[in-house]
Amino acid sequence: VVFSLPWVMLNIDAGKNWDRCLLRFYARRVRNQGPNCNNCWAHAAVSAVDFELCRASKGNWSGPASWLSVGYLTSCAKGAFWGKDGCRAGGDMKKALHFMGTHGLPTGGWGDSKKTCVPDFGSGRRGMEAIKNSKKLDNGQELIRPPECPTACTNSDYPRS
């Protein structure tokens, strides 16, 4: 199966790296946008790149430190999301992929992760704090406001910066 985008060519050979990355890595990696942020566009784009990093590294991109930051993409990819921020109105996966290719993306994982640079603001203890600070929309839905785009690691336990 071959998928083609202008800047990405995915050529999946089910006999080579598919089982290593899909079954041991990707199928066990569950991302959760939660009920309060409409950033499925960011989760989809980051998951696609995570999978390709696994395949390109022959399965070595794995473990608790091998998560790219959905939170960073949601906060920073202003050209990729619609509306005022990355949680309100969705976004464009193609533009998100372009943003990652142009600007890069730090590591991120669950909000409580100590092994990544910019953990997700919508999960773990960080997610509970974000929900407390969420804002009700006119239709009664509560949405998290993503934090401002960070310029350094937001995780003080992360060993690099």
Side-chain angles (χ1 to χ4, degrees), residues 27-146:
R28 293 183 184 140
R29 178 159 296 194
V30 177
R31 291 186 179 272
N32 182 2
Q33 77 181 44
N36 301 88
C37 182
N38 297 326
N39 66 342
C40 57
W41 60 274
H43 284 270
V46 168
S47 293
V49 174
D50 266 342
F51 180 64
E52 284 306 304
L53 284 169
C54 178
R55 287 187 63 243
S57 70
K58 296 184 176 22
N60 290 318
W61 176 256
S62 63
S66 66
W67 292 68
L68 292 176
S69 181
V70 170
Y72 183 88
L73 190 63
T74 302
S75 292
C76 302
K78 294 195 185 318
F81 57 75
W82 305 313
K84 294 181 180 179
D85 63 52
C87 283
R88 290 182 191 238
D92 186 313
M93 185 176 164
K94 182 178 174 182
K95 289 180 179 178
L97 289 168
H98 183 72
F99 177 90
M100 287 187 276
T102 303
H103 301 283
L105 202 66
T107 57
W110 287 100
D112 301 334
S113 171
K114 295 184 185 312
K115 298 193 179 282
T116 60
C117 179
V118 183
D120 188 14
F121 60 82
S123 62
R125 286 187 306 261
R126 290 173 190 248
M128 297 311 292
E129 189 63 32
I131 289 169
K132 280 189 221 171
N133 297 324
S134 64
K135 179 173 176 126
K136 281 199 180 201
L137 301 178
D138 291 337
N139 66 3
Q141 182 183 14
E142 284 189 55
L143 285 180
I144 293 173
R145 285 188 174 161

